[in-house]
Amino acid sequence: WRRVASATITSAPQRLVSGFDPTDPDFYHGGDLAGVIQRLDYIQGLGATAVWLAPIFRNKPVQTHGDYTGAAHHGYWITDFTTVDPHFGDEATMRALVDAAHARGMKVYLDIVANHTADVIRYRECPRNDCAYRSRADYPYTRKGGVDGPPINDGFDGRDFSRLTRPDYAYTPYVPAGEENAKVPAWLNDPIHYHNRGESTFTGESSLDGDFAGLDDLLTEDPVVIQGMIDIFGGWIDRYGIDGYRIDTARHVDAAFWQAFIPAMKARAAARGIPNFHIFGEVYDPDPAVTARFTRVDAYPAVLDFPFQKQATDVAAGKVGTDALARLFDADALYADRADTAAILPTFLGNHDMGRIGFFVKQANPEADDAELLARIELAHALMMFSRGVPTLYYGDEQGFAGAGGYGNSRQDMWPSRTPVYADETPVGGRQPAYSTDAPLYRAIAEMARLRAAEPALRRGRQIVRASGDKPGLFALSRLTDDGGEVLVLFNSSTAPVAAQVEVEPGSLRWQALRGDCAARSSAPASVAVRVPPLDYLVCKSVP
């Protein structure tokens, strides 16, 4: 949940010092942890059982990279990994938030970063801080300045990174005057603990070892870094009883690091009395073969389901046939524990990097009126809420925010905004007062959540795809329980009604409508007649 509260600002320091400018989408606007506490009723009213916070660690307030200058409102420019950023609150407020959530039976997940820190290190060869990436083959760790350079790091065998003594194999890194102690813990201030190879191109080797848009890329092969990160994030579990971690930039860190880090976090949580500590990584890719790899090789229990985001969004928007979802769910076999792993993947429809579901639906249907947009967005949420996985809402979607898509354009204020691009937007479903629980999508999502909570099959039931097609139209799936129960969910992504016979379990002969108009009886054993209105969905439960 991101920036869901406003704070009273009594003064306005220079924005390039404080990072605060409520008129600029790339700067802090005033949301804080105290505000999240105040809005737990609102969040829980949506049916949420956990709150995922953007990184709340102390950041470098403002950075410049190339022609871009912005603030760390997103939380990914960390300098002190051990404390709460004062923009968001303090240690006492953080503890109060966790305690308040736990008192309601809600969990708190933190968004964490182990790939990089804020941009502090510079390279003497690049005064503009724009060094091109230099590869391990061309600039090995055992030579200074390339393969023809003088030997350095004598005794380094390519595996034991504790034997590196000099960081100037590719470039000559240094810490600018005045920033020698900018980072906490102290070991983070030594360039020997970073790759120092220049800018990532986000391909090949550089995807692991390059600086992420100038951010200092940690040498995660180094035992000091591995143990240091275990100590840092284990400490947050110890101090606050955090319930889980969403791990940023998971694909940009070597597998051996995660193979050590993840079991250590689960063990630390178990020692704190948290038996079901949830860890899921950000692997930004729509291909399930890519995302599944991180559950098999890197030892991730789960990853964010970017493939679901892609296919569910395209289906609900009417861009593709419903068989796109069938193919997606067929690929669940690729995950480490197949359907069991797929069942705990966080599913979502948009985020802070790519944009919102409202934007995607509007982009695909530029001539659609508000009623159609609302129906398609609701349909997308139904696909997420009733199929396998753990539904994850991006704050503000329930208010109909759409935005302009892409990075930085989908971080709207929940309160009356002073940012023109946010203030001028008319949400899908119409503008409502701040934090309105009467917003059409808030009501629709809350209804779905109540239904999901009431029916165990919709939360944990084994999933079978029953019907799909190569054009917009019917998509049907069953959620089955071990005791023979079945809930049939039917979706129509077309603008015309659909009618069909759908296969069901032979023992499912009588039906109860949980939402919509369901047939009272099957047409024959293992077949039921369904009629689904345009851009709508039905939920039907078999009864004895």
Side-chain angles (χ1 to χ4, degrees):
W1 198 271
R2 296 171 186 270
R3 292 169 56 204
V4 297
S6 64
T8 300
I9 305 298
T10 56
S11 62
Q14 291 183 343
R15 72 181 207 142
L16 296 184
V17 176
S18 70
F20 174 71
D21 183 349
T23 69
D24 190 323
D26 289 329
F27 281 71
Y28 290 100
H29 288 190
D32 56 23
L33 296 174
V36 179
I37 297 172
Q38 294 167 11
R39 299 298 177 179
L40 285 175
D41 278 343
Y42 172 90
I43 298 169
Q44 196 167 32
L46 276 166
T49 57
V51 180
W52 155 17
L53 298 172
I56 49 98
F57 317 105
R58 184 186 289 268
N59 271 234
K60 194 172 188 177
V62 178
Q63 289 192 173
T64 295
H65 185 70
D67 296 329
Y68 172 81
T69 295
H73 60 294
H74 42 65
Y76 294 110
W77 299 341
I78 303 170
T79 53
D80 186 342
F81 285 78
T82 68
T83 61
V84 174
D85 191 288
H87 288 90
F88 302 136
D90 55 22
E91 308 298 314
T93 311
M94 181 65 197
R95 186 164 288 106
L97 170 56
V98 176
D99 290 346
H102 286 174
R104 294 166 172 263
M106 300 176 72
K107 296 184 176 184
V108 176
Y109 298 158
L110 293 187
D111 197 321
I112 69 170
V113 186
N115 175 65
H116 58 263
T117 72
D119 184 10
V120 173
I121 295 172
R122 297 287 186 268
Y123 304 127
R124 298 206 180 277
E125 293 84 352
C126 312
R128 290 175 50 85
N129 197 30
D130 57 354
C131 288
Y133 184 78
R134 289 182 169 177
S135 72
R136 296 191 295 262
D138 292 325
Y139 294 84
Y141 289 104
T142 53
R143 293 289 188 273
K144 175 177 171 54
V147 292
D148 296 328
I152 59 173
N153 293 315
D154 182 45
F156 175 63
D157 61 0
R159 293 182 296 274
D160 184 0
F161 281 83
S162 68
R163 303 187 69 172
L164 287 182
T165 57
R166 291 178 56 169
D168 54 343
Y169 33 81
Y171 290 105
T172 310
Y174 71 99
V175 175
E179 295 191 88
E180 294 88 350
N181 299 303
K183 299 177 186 178
V184 178
W187 60 266
L188 288 165
N189 293 300
D190 189 341
I192 196 66
H193 300 308
Y194 298 82
H195 282 115
N196 303 310
R197 291 189 173 277
E199 288 288 283
S200 177
T201 64
F202 302 104
T203 59
E205 171 195 313
S206 82
S207 185
L208 288 176
D209 293 358
D211 293 342
F212 197 119
L215 302 173
D216 300 344
D217 194 72
L218 281 158
L219 184 68
T220 48
E221 302 93 331
D222 182 352
V224 171
V225 176
I226 297 170
Q227 189 58 50
M229 286 294 165
I230 289 172
D231 291 343
I232 286 168
F233 293 116
W236 282 86
I237 298 170
D238 293 346
R239 296 201 307 276
Y240 298 104
I242 300 301
D243 300 289
Y245 285 147
R246 179 268 193 186
I247 300 180
D248 181 66
T249 51
R251 71 185 305 172
H252 302 296
V253 176
D254 61 290
F257 177 89
W258 299 128
Q259 292 163 5
F261 180 85
I262 291 170
M265 292 302 98
K266 294 179 74 70
R268 198 72 163 256
R272 182 66 163 73
I274 307 167
N276 298 311
F277 192 82
H278 196 30
I279 296 177
F280 50 101
E282 180 210 24
V283 182
Y284 196 150
D285 199 293
D287 184 351
V290 174
T291 55
R293 173 200 175 279
F294 288 82
T295 68
R296 289 186 171 273
V297 177
D298 296 56
Y300 268 91
V303 289
L304 282 162
D305 199 346
F306 279 88
F308 175 87
Q309 186 281 329
K310 168 65 173 171
Q311 303 306 339
T313 295
D314 285 353
V315 166
K319 291 177 62 177
V320 298
T322 58
D323 56 352
L325 283 169
R327 290 191 298 273
L328 168 76
F329 293 132
D330 278 346
D332 286 352
L334 298 173
Y335 290 94
D337 292 321
R338 295 179 291 185
D340 289 344
T341 298
I344 63 171
L345 301 179
T347 49
F348 66 101
L349 301 171
N351 66 20
H352 58 291
D353 284 329
M354 60 172 53
R356 297 182 178 277
I357 178 62
F359 169 75
F360 300 129
V361 168
K362 290 177 74 172
Q363 187 180 46
N365 299 276
E367 303 303 319
D369 60 16
D370 190 68
E372 179 180 340
L373 296 174
L374 188 62
R376 289 189 181 280
I377 295 169
E378 185 174 336
L379 183 67
H381 280 89
L383 286 167
M384 177 177 70
M385 294 294 281
F386 299 129
S387 61
R388 64 95 179 113
V390 182
T392 306
L393 301 172
Y394 183 46
Y395 91 97
D397 282 358
E398 79 288 350
Q399 292 296 328
F401 295 165
Y407 185 86
N409 294 317
S410 301
R411 302 171 188 245
Q412 291 92 330
D413 300 314
M414 290 290 290
W415 54 90
S417 182
R418 294 169 57 188
T419 304
V421 67
Y422 297 159
D424 294 343
E425 178 183 357
T426 299
V428 177
R431 181 169 295 282
Q432 302 284 331
Y435 302 102
S436 171
T437 58
D438 290 324
L441 283 165
Y442 185 101
R443 294 200 310 270
I445 293 167
E447 176 193 351
M448 295 176 203
R450 284 191 292 270
L451 183 53
R452 190 175 186 276
E455 295 296 333
L458 292 174
R459 301 194 306 277
R460 300 186 180 90
R462 180 168 59 91
Q463 177 172 293
I464 298 177
V465 173
R466 297 295 195 183
S468 66
D470 61 1
K471 294 179 176 60
L474 179 66
F475 182 71
L477 58 83
S478 290
R479 304 296 302 273
L480 307 178
T481 58
D482 292 339
D483 62 2
E486 178 173 10
V487 175
L488 179 67
V489 192
L490 305 146
F491 308 89
N492 180 4
S493 64
S494 77
T495 55
V498 295
Q501 293 292 139
V502 172
E503 184 179 15
V504 292
E505 294 299 289
S508 296
L509 299 176
R510 298 175 61 243
W511 297 91
Q512 173 190 355
L514 300 181
R515 185 189 187 275
D517 186 12
C518 301
R521 288 185 169 275
S522 291
S523 306
S527 179
V528 64
V530 301
R531 300 179 186 278
V532 191
L535 301 178
D536 205 356
Y537 67 96
L538 312 181
V539 184
C540 311
K541 179 181 180 180
S542 68
V543 293

